[in-house]
Structure formats: structure tokens, C-alpha cells
């Protein structure tokens, strides 16, 4: 099974789940008392030490008085985090309906959730969460009607349920499985090998794995790892990404080094194998040089040497979907910003386009059952087509409606594939598509107490500052009045070619049920309209993203969905940067801000872990022109003495993607400069990472965010008893 995904890593995803319609039951409601939020002048923030530290960038001296907060292992930093958390949780504890929000989220989230199955021989594997399990459990069954048996239960791997099954990859014969585990939310993984007949782990243990897959070939697999980091494993810069081959049943010390590049330490080197295992594909990217594309090499039939398909890294991307004999089928944006599919002949090095670029964006392509399943995005909604392997169109798959379809993976001998369809009011439903009859049928519907007829979603196109039309989805309960008095949560991302697709989240239901409006803006910098859309929100054009988000807020106000006193904004990672930047530029427009795990120091982000990988999107302070732009919007460096919205900053101690120092320094600066009465708090989760490390932490964080929003808007929620 080979899949090609065009979007990579920083995205903070809204959790999707599954449901079926049930009639709502009339219940008594519980009224909560009206309370007045605690103002910032009554909060006693920890006294954060300031030091004399400056850096000079291209003749500009920049102060960094909270540099000491970057040292994540220092006792002083740990003490500061403890003191800040004490203030934050003391504040949250005073919100009378905080536990009610948590109970409401737990109730709606507590239903069985399944993944689409994937096949290996006669076995079908799938993930299931009974409801509130911290981690989903991996099962398998013989055939589609067999009795499920448990394969791996990650909930038993740590006392607090924060060890995650981050990878599971079966060998071609299905006799072995590579298993990846991540602890406490870290991006670091440990790999193990299971004998699938006995479901027992062998002695194999591989460490310091990051940005890697498991590419099986025979009784071994290729994987990528770093040398053991010096200093803090959660903050030290990651360099010298190496490709190794591991033979099942041997120690990591016996692994064979396949590829490294000591002359270019800030590159990613990842490997995949074709389904028949005759080709090994090496993909090389170097975003630290500001290049957004990749080089590709291939090794044919165990020859032991890589040949170039694309020798140099440029801004063009190439992804091998699979092979058809001696030809590789490749998805690329070379000369096609919306992507096309080509064939590369490994014997003659000839290229041939088989599916040309279209006005819609080609987002994903898979091969299963001898067919190409090609997914397009038209105004942020999915359209999926079936082609033969020479690029001849056979049919479009009829989807239930506007929304997001994903999946379609499989092997070449499959007769059917699975896919999942979802939208904001359509809980993810698994469909089985028969390749011969070209028909879909529901394979598994979710069982959640949710009636989609009670809610409404509309897509609007609003003008940004430069009059570019920006799409946005708005979801709310039917019957809502456009009187400008609705609590509204505006969410955005805007970067890294990432698309915010319409999808269902049970976490949103309690918010919507309290009369809340959820708005999701598809900002420039994302992948909604291909590479051109992405480029309009990169590097020197990053301000377009902030303008798009600010304009989204102004649109919601002008159309009477909400007002400045009822508008909250939220974003994570690159979206956390977005929130930090826009409240600096328009603190008057928003009542509440929720920046999560944000990139807040735009002059130093490339100094930590894999931050150098983001230079292709952001640029670098090492470049004079790019420094000027970065310094002009960097959240930490543009906080003035002003009245800022009520702000709840969230991060976690094991976030080794966007290190928590970003949020630490940002919180200290914002607390220092806040001249309004609204609180500025930082919530630092323990044993968690860039995303919540388990279900319980996700529920608790979401409940705290909703409580903080309603509390600071003086809105009284009403809960069923």
C-alpha cells in the first residue's frame, strides 16, 4: 500500500470522529451563576527575571531579556513554569462551569471510534477507541466478518496513557510488523519488531528515530534517524539525518548505514519502497536553504547504489506513488502549480505526463486494484476520480456531498478500497468502494448522539485587505440570530501548504450547543488553491496571512455573526504564530486569544530541534531582507505597551517540534507589557507534546479553552443536568 501526502508536519489538527443520527432527548438544564472575570491587575504573575542580552542582526540591535527561558533543563526555568501554572490553574479553578464543559465534552466524545481497515493477506487491521480510551487500540480480524483480536494496546504501555503507537508497518509477507512508540508527546520514536504470528516483540530496539517511515524490503526495513543529540534531547538542534537498514532479529549496532550527507547537515533523508519491493526511493529535502522542493534517487533490484531521478533540490516537489514495471509513477508540481502525474522510465530516464494539471488542486494519489485514485480540491471540498495506470479517466466517485474524502489506499490485487468521508456536520463515515462495479456502500457508521439536522454550515468568500477572496466555513446551530451577540471562535493556520479541510469534531459540539459560532478561514499560505496560494503567504508575503485573518474577523462582525466583545481566535503551531501576530496588530478586534504551541520568536526558531526546516516558509533572520520582514511581525518582538485581549497560551513540556521556550518568552513579554485589565496566562501541560499526548489531556485542554472564552466574555453557559 503506497500513499503520497503533499502536506507535512506543523499542522494542529482538529480531532475527527464518527457518529450516527439519534433523536435528542429533552433534558433539564443547569444554570450557572454569572461571575465577573478576574482582571489582570488583580492577578499576581510570577516575577520573571530580565537579563541584559542583545543580538545584532544586520546592524540592528535586538534585546532578548528572557533568553534564559530557553534553557529547558535549568531549575530556574522549571520553577518559573511551576509558578506560572499555579497562577493559571488557580484562575481556571474559579470558573464555575469549567467542570461542566469537561463533562459535556466527555459525554459527546464517549462513543466507539474506528479507523478504516487496511489489508495484509487474509488479515484486516484497524484501530478502535472504545470511547474515552487515552490511545486507540490496534486490532485485526480474518476477512471482513472475522472475530477481532487485539494486536497492540498502547494504553498499557505507560501509567498515564501518554505513550502513543506512532507507527505500524507490516512486512510484505505480513510475518513481521515494525512498531513505533512515542513517549509523552515527543517527536522522538523508538522502533520495535513484532512477530505477527505470536504477537510478541522480538529483541529489536531502535532509538533516536525522527522524521522516518519503515520501508520494508525482505526481512528488514529502511528507516531514518539522527545521532544521539548532545545536550537537551527536547531542544537541541537535530542535524545529520541518516538512512539505515535494519535486519529483523539483530541489534541496532549491526544496522547498515545506507545514506548520509555530512556536507549538508540540515537535510531530511527519507526512504520508501515500492509495493513489489523492487525499487528503493530516497527523497532528499533541504528547507534550511529556503527551497521548498526535493531531490529523488532510486535503487533498482538490490543493486546497492542510488541513481538520480531528480538530482538537484529546487522549489519543485516530486513524490513517487508506486511503480508499474520499470516505470515510476510520480506526483509533481514541476511546471504545474496545481500538480500533475507523470511516468519516469528508469531505463531511458524519459518522462511522460499522464494526468495533466487542472484548475482544481491535485492533493493526493494512490494506487490500488490496478487503478489510480486521484483526489482533487475544488473550493476546499473533495472530488475523487479513478484512472487507469496510463492516466485514462474511468469515473468519478460519487461522494455524499461537499466535504472531505480520504483513504483509497490498498494493494494492486485489491478488488475494493476503503475511504472516509466527513464534513463539519457529517461525522466521519467509512465507505467501501467496489472497483469493478464502481459503487460505494457504507461500511461503518459512527454511533454518536448527534443530529446533523440541528446544525448548519455555510461557506462564504470574503475580501481580504488587497481584495483577494478568501474562503471560510461557518458552523452554528440552526435558528441562530444574526444580532452581533454570538460567541464566535475563529480558527486559522495559513502556512506550509497545509489545507484546513471541512471535517467533523465532537469537541466542537458542546461549544456549538452553547450558541457558539465556529469559523474556519482558509488563509493564504495554505494549500487550498495550490502552490500559488501557498506562495502568497510565504516569506516576504507573510503579512497576507495576517491580513486574511484580520479580515475574517471584520467580516464576521460586519455580517452580525458576532462583535468585538464576542470574538475569540485560536490557532496552533504556525497558527499560534498567526494569533500572536494579529493581536499585536489589532488588539482591539478580539476579546479572547488562544495561541497554542506557537512559533513566537521568528529570529531564533531555526536554532532548535528541526526549526531550520521552516526556513523555506518563513525565511531566516540570517538574510537581511528576510530579517526585516520577520522582525516586523515576530510576535515576541512586536508586543507594545497596550491593552491586549484575554490570552490563554498553551504549550507542553515535551514539545520538541516548537519548543516551549517560544511560549515561555512570549508569555513573559506579554504579561510585562499588558496595560489592559484582561488576563494573560500560560498553561504548560506535563508529559505532553506538540499535540495532546492522550485523550484525557485533549479533553481537559479543550474544556479549559472554552471556559476561558465564555468567562472572559461574561457569557453564562447552560448545561443539561
Amino acid at each position: 500500500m503506497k500513499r503520497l501526502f503533499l502536506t507535512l508536519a506543523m499542522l494542529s489538527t482538529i480531532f475527527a470522529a464518527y457518529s450516527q443520527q439519534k433523536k435528542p432527548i429533552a433534558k433539564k438544564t443547569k444554570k450557572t451563576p454569572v461571575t465577573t472575570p478576574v482582571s489582570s491587575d488583580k492577578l499576581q504573575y510570577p516575577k520573571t527575571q530580565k537579563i541584559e542580552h542583545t543580538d545584532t542582526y544586520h546592524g540592528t540591535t535586538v534585546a532578548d531579556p528572557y533568553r534564559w527561558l530557553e534553557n529547558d533543563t535549568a531549575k530556574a526555568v522549571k520553577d518559573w513554569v511551576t509558578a506560572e501554572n499555579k497562577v493559571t490553574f488557580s484562575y481556571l479553578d474559579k470558573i464555575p462551569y469549567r467542570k461542566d464543559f469537561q463533562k459535556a465534552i466527555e459525554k459527546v466524545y464517549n462513543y466507539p471510534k474506528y479507523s478504516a481497515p487496511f489489508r495484509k493477506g487474509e488479515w484486516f487491521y484497524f484501530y478502535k477507541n472504545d470511547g474515552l480510551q487515552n490511545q486507540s487500540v490496534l486490532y485485526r480480524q480474518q476477512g471482513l466478518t472475522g472475530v477481532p483480536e487485539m494486536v497492540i494496546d498502547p494504553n498499557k504501555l505507560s501509567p498515564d496513557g501518554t505513550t502513543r503507537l506512532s507507527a505500524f508497518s507490516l512486512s510484505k509477507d505480513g510475518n513481521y510488523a515494525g512498531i513505533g512508540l512515542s513517549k509523552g508527546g515527543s517527536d522522538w520514536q523508538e522502533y520495535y519488531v513484532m512477530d505477527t504470528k505470536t504477537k510478541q516483540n522480538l529483541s529489536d530496539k531502535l532509538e533516536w528515530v525522527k522524521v522516518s517511515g519503515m520501508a520494508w524490503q525482505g526481512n528488514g526495513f529502511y528507516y531514518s534517524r539522527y545521532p544521539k543529540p548532545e545536550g537537551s534531547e527536547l531542544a537541541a538542534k537535530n542535524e545529520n539525518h541518516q538512512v539505515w537498514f535494519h535486519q529483523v532479529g539483530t541489534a541496532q549496532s549491526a544496522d547498515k548505514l545506507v545514506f548520509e550527507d555530512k556536507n549538508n547537515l540540515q537535510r531530511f533523508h527519507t526512504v520508501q519502497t515500492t509495493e513489489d519491493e523492487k525499487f528503493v526511493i530516497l527523497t532528499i529535502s533541504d528547507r534550511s536553504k529556503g527551497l521548498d522542493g526535493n531531490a529523488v534517487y532510486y535503487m533498482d533490484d538490490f543493486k546497492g547504489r542510488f541513481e538520480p531521478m531528480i538530482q538537484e533540490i529546487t522549489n519543485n516537489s516530486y513524490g513517487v506513488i508506486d511503480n508499474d514495471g520499470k516505470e515510476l509513477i510520480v506526483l509533481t508540481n514541476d511546471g504545474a502549480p496545481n500538480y500533475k502525474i507523470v511516468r519516469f522510465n528508469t531505463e531511458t530516464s524519459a518522462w511522460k505526463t499522464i494526468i495533466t494539471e487542472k484548475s482544481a488542486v491535485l492533493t493526493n494519489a494512490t494506487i490500488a486494484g490496478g487503478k489510480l485514485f486521484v483526489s482533487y480540491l475544488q473550493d476546499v471540498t473533495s472530488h475523487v476520480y479513478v484512472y487507469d495506470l496510463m492516466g485514462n479517466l474511468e469515473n468519478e466517485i460519487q461522494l455524499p456531498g461537499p466535504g472531505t474524502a480520504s483513504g483509497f489506499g490498498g494493494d494492486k490485487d485489491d478488488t475494493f478500497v476503503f475511504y472516509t468521508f466527513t464534513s463539519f456536520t457529517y461525522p466521519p463515515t467509512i465507505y467501501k468502494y467496489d472497483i469493478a462495479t464502481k459503487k460505494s456502500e457504507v461500511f461503518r457508521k459512527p454511533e454518536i448522539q448527534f443530529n446533523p439536522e440541528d446544525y448548519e454550515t455555510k461557506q462564504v468568500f470574503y475580501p481580504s485587505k488587497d481584495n483577494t477572496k478568501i474562503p471560510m466555513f461557518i458552523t452554528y446551530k440552526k435558528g441562530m440570530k444574526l444580532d452581533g451577540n454570538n460567541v464566535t471562535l475563529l480558527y486559522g493556520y495559513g502556512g506550509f501548504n497545509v489545507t484546513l479541510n471541512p471535517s467533523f469534531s465532537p469537541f466542537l459540539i458542546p461549544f456549538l450547543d452553547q450558541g457558539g459560532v465556529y469559523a474556519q478561514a482558509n488563509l493564504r499560505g495554505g494549500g487550498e488553491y495550490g502552490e500559488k496560494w501557498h506562495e502568497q503567504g510565504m516569506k516576504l508575503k507573510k503579512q497576507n496571512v495576517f491580513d486574511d485573518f484580520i479580515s475574517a474577523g471584520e467580516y464576521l462582525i460586519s455580517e452580525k455573526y458576532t462583535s468585538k466583545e464576542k470574538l475569540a481566535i485560536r490557532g496552533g503551531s504556525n497558527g499560534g504564530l498567526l494569533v500572536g501576530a494579529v493581536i499585536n496588530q489589532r488588539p482591539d478586534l478580539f476579546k479572547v486569544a488562544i495561541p497554542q504551541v506557537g512559533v513566537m520568536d521568528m529570529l531564533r526558531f531555526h536554532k532548535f530541534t528541526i526549526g531550520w526546516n521552516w526556513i523555506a516558509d518563513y525565511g531566516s533572520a540570517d538574510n537581511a531582507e528576510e530579517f526585516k520582514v520577520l522582525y516586523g511581525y515576530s510576535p515576541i518582538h512586536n508586543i507594545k505597551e497596550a491593552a491586549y485581549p484575554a490570552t490563554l497560551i498553551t504549550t507542553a513540556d515535551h514539545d520538541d517540534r516548537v519548543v516551549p521556550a517560544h511560549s515561555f518568552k512570549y508569555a513573559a513579554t506579554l504579561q510585562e507589557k499588558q496595560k489592559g485589565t484582561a488576563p494573560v496566562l500560560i498553561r504548560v501541560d506535563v508529559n505532553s507534546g506538540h499535540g495532546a499526548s492522550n485523550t484525557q489531556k485533549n479533553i481537559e485542554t479543550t474544556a479549559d479553552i472554552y471556559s476561558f472564552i465564555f468567562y472572559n466574555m461574561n457569557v453564562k453557559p447552560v448545561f443539561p443536568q
Side-chain angles (χ1 to χ4, degrees):
M1 176 170 58
K2 304 294 173 188
R3 298 185 182 184
L4 179 66
F5 297 96
L6 296 183
T7 59
L8 296 174
M10 287 183 62
L11 180 61
S12 288
T13 8
I14 300 175
F15 280 75
Y18 320 92
S19 95
Q20 69 181 24
Q21 294 185 29
K22 290 190 177 180
K23 292 182 179 180
I25 300 173
K27 296 183 178 180
K28 295 180 180 180
T29 58
K30 173 184 175 181
K31 295 184 178 181
T32 53
V34 178
T35 56
T36 303
V38 178
S39 63
S40 65
D41 56 351
K42 294 181 180 179
L43 286 171
Q44 295 297 317
Y45 300 121
K47 292 184 178 180
T48 308
Q49 178 189 6
K50 297 180 71 173
I51 62 173
E52 293 292 332
H53 186 99
T54 59
D55 296 300
T56 301
Y57 299 87
H58 313 287
T60 300
T61 300
V62 178
D64 194 358
Y66 299 119
R67 174 71 63 87
W68 64 275
L69 286 170
E70 293 180 356
N71 186 356
D72 65 315
T73 61
K75 182 179 183 300
V77 175
K78 293 178 180 179
D79 290 344
W80 181 87
V81 169
T82 299
E84 288 283 353
N85 264 347
K86 183 177 180 180
V87 172
T88 297
F89 286 102
S90 294
Y91 180 94
L92 295 172
D93 284 341
K94 294 175 182 175
I95 301 177
Y97 41 80
R98 179 188 179 205
K99 292 299 182 183
D100 292 315
F101 260 123
Q102 184 172 326
K103 290 177 183 177
I105 296 169
E106 287 175 346
K107 183 176 181 179
V108 74
Y109 194 77
N110 189 12
Y111 66 95
K113 306 168 193 67
Y114 293 84
S115 74
F118 54 97
R119 182 180 70 88
K120 182 62 67 173
E122 63 182 359
W123 290 98
F124 285 85
Y125 290 79
F126 62 94
Y127 295 91
K128 179 187 177 185
N129 190 306
D130 288 341
L132 295 176
Q133 288 177 290
N134 276 317
Q135 306 292 338
S136 294
V137 179
L138 178 65
Y139 294 88
R140 70 179 180 185
Q141 63 188 50
Q142 288 184 304
L144 292 179
T145 59
V147 178
E149 62 180 47
M150 188 176 67
V151 180
I152 301 173
D153 183 357
N155 297 288
K156 297 178 180 179
L157 299 178
S158 60
D160 59 356
T162 59
T163 295
R164 179 173 57 93
L165 179 59
S166 56
F168 181 80
S169 177
L170 290 156
S171 61
K172 185 174 177 60
D173 59 15
N175 291 334
Y176 299 107
I179 298 168
L181 299 180
S182 168
K183 298 178 180 179
S186 171
D187 281 346
W188 288 114
Q189 299 178 78
E190 292 179 351
Y191 279 0
Y192 301 85
V193 177
M194 170 188 284
D195 182 329
T196 59
K197 293 180 181 178
T198 64
K199 295 189 290 184
Q200 297 297 313
N201 283 359
L202 304 179
S203 60
D204 310 54
K205 180 181 179 181
L206 312 179
E207 298 180 297
W208 306 116
V209 180
K210 186 183 280 193
V211 190
S212 177
M214 299 178 191
W216 283 92
Q217 191 173 59
N219 285 338
F221 57 84
Y222 299 88
Y223 71 102
S224 304
R225 78 179 197 226
Y226 285 101
K228 182 179 179 180
E230 297 181 4
S232 169
E233 65 184 63
L234 296 176
K237 183 183 288 189
N238 301 149
E239 295 184 320
N240 194 16
H241 201 226
Q242 305 163 333
V243 176
W244 294 77
F245 184 80
H246 176 75
Q247 191 74 33
V248 170
T250 63
Q252 186 172 22
S253 59
D255 290 355
K256 177 185 175 182
L257 178 62
V258 176
F259 188 86
E260 70 173 337
D261 186 351
K262 291 186 176 180
N263 294 321
N264 295 282
L265 295 178
Q266 295 180 349
R267 287 185 170 183
F268 285 142
H269 307 112
T270 56
V271 164
Q272 68 185 90
T273 49
T274 53
E275 183 185 317
D276 59 15
E277 298 188 354
K278 291 184 177 180
F279 287 95
V280 181
I281 311 298
L282 170 66
T283 300
I284 305 173
S285 61
D286 191 352
R287 294 172 62 87
S288 70
K289 298 290 195 302
L291 299 172
D292 207 25
N294 59 279
V296 181
Y297 290 73
Y298 63 93
M299 188 190 306
D300 185 2
D301 285 329
F302 299 86
K303 288 181 179 178
R305 68 178 185 275
F306 284 107
E307 303 288 343
M309 185 180 85
I310 298 295
Q311 191 164 2
E312 300 297 331
I313 301 173
T314 65
N315 281 319
N316 295 323
S317 297
Y318 308 84
V320 175
I321 304 167
D322 205 356
N323 71 308
D324 183 22
K326 291 292 184 179
E327 292 192 326
L328 300 175
I329 300 175
V330 183
L331 179 56
T332 180
N333 63 353
D334 186 356
N338 287 350
Y339 289 87
K340 62 184 178 181
I341 296 179
V342 301
R343 277 177 169 254
F344 174 77
N345 191 304
T346 59
E347 293 182 336
T348 66
S349 297
W351 293 84
K352 179 183 179 181
T353 298
I354 60 170
I355 300 179
T356 59
E357 180 188 25
K358 296 177 173 52
S359 58
V361 184
L362 201 171
T363 59
N364 194 36
T366 60
I367 292 178
K371 306 294 182 182
L372 265 168
F373 292 83
V374 183
S375 300
Y376 288 91
L377 203 63
Q378 183 70 51
D379 285 336
V380 209
T381 60
S382 292
H383 296 265
V384 183
Y385 301 87
V386 182
Y387 294 80
D388 68 21
L389 296 187
M390 296 307 299
N392 298 304
L393 177 63
E394 296 191 351
N395 62 283
E396 180 178 2
I397 296 177
Q398 297 303 311
L399 301 175
T404 303
S406 60
F408 306 99
D411 291 340
K412 290 177 181 176
D413 63 347
D414 282 335
T415 59
F416 56 85
V417 296
F418 294 100
Y419 67 92
T420 301
F421 180 82
T422 183
S423 68
F424 290 105
T425 57
Y426 197 105
T429 302
I430 301 170
Y431 286 84
K432 178 173 169 278
Y433 174 80
D434 186 277
I435 296 173
T437 64
K438 303 178 181 179
K439 295 187 181 299
S440 298
E441 63 179 5
V442 173
F443 175 74
R444 180 168 280 137
K445 290 182 68 173
E447 300 175 357
I448 179 176
Q449 293 188 19
F450 169 77
N451 183 7
E453 297 303 318
D454 292 341
Y455 306 85
E456 182 177 351
T457 295
K458 66 169 60 176
Q459 185 181 30
V460 300
F461 295 83
Y462 65 89
S464 188
K465 184 177 182 180
D466 61 0
N467 288 321
T468 298
K469 293 294 184 181
I470 311 298
M472 178 166 60
F473 293 97
I474 307 173
T475 303
Y476 46 87
K477 289 199 78 172
K478 288 182 179 178
M480 181 195 71
K481 295 180 180 180
L482 294 178
D483 59 3
N485 200 40
N486 303 299
V487 175
T488 298
L489 178 56
L490 171 61
Y491 184 87
Y493 188 78
F496 294 88
N497 204 28
V498 167
T499 297
L500 292 186
N501 299 100
S503 60
F504 178 81
S505 171
F507 289 95
L508 274 177
I509 297 173
F511 177 80
L512 299 175
D513 284 348
Q514 293 298 333
V517 177
Y518 176 73
Q520 183 169 293
N522 297 106
L523 315 172
R524 282 176 285 185
E528 286 82 354
Y529 293 99
E531 187 57 31
K532 291 181 180 178
W533 192 256
H534 176 210
E535 289 173 353
Q536 288 181 46
M538 293 170 57
K539 292 185 177 178
L540 305 183
K541 298 180 180 179
K542 189 68 175 176
Q543 183 59 41
N544 284 337
V545 184
F546 311 140
D547 291 341
D548 292 353
F549 203 51
I550 290 169
S551 296
E554 293 174 333
Y555 174 88
L556 291 167
I557 293 170
S558 67
E559 295 298 311
K560 303 297 184 182
Y561 285 97
T562 191
S563 66
K564 292 181 179 181
E565 293 301 307
K566 295 291 190 295
L567 179 58
I569 52 174
R570 180 182 182 185
S573 197
N574 175 72
L577 154 65
L578 169 70
V579 171
V582 299
I583 67 168
N584 283 342
Q585 296 180 15
R586 287 294 306 276
D588 63 302
L589 188 60
F590 313 105
K591 183 67 173 180
V592 179
I594 313 290
Q596 299 185 260
V597 293
V599 186
M600 299 305 200
D601 188 337
M602 300 309 297
L603 306 185
R604 290 179 56 77
F605 67 84
H606 56 303
K607 304 287 186 182
F608 306 98
T609 63
I610 59 169
W612 43 263
N613 181 53
W614 312 330
I615 290 174
D617 233 69
Y618 293 146
S620 169
D622 296 336
N623 176 287
E625 186 180 19
E626 291 169 352
F627 161 74
K628 184 177 180 181
V629 173
L630 290 166
Y631 191 42
Y633 73 75
S634 177
I636 286 175
H637 300 98
N638 287 276
I639 299 173
K640 312 297 183 185
E641 291 191 350
Y644 287 94
T647 304
L648 179 61
I649 305 154
T650 72
T651 186
D653 62 350
H654 277 62
D655 189 348
D656 47 5
R657 195 177 312 175
V658 180
V659 295
H662 282 279
S663 293
F664 294 172
K665 293 166 64 176
Y666 175 72
T669 307
L670 194 59
Q671 286 176 352
E672 175 194 352
K673 300 292 182 66
Q674 170 68 297
K675 294 303 177 185
T677 59
V680 173
L681 303 173
I682 180 168
R683 185 186 188 279
V684 185
D685 211 345
V686 177
N687 239 15
S688 201
H690 197 60
S693 57
N694 66 26
T695 295
Q696 188 59 35
K697 288 181 179 293
N698 197 18
I699 291 172
E700 290 171 356
T701 301
T702 305
D704 285 352
I705 288 170
Y706 290 164
S707 299
F708 185 83
I709 290 171
F710 277 79
Y711 191 54
N712 280 280
M713 291 182 182
N714 279 314
V715 175
K716 179 181 64 176
V718 179
F719 293 91
Q721 287 186 326

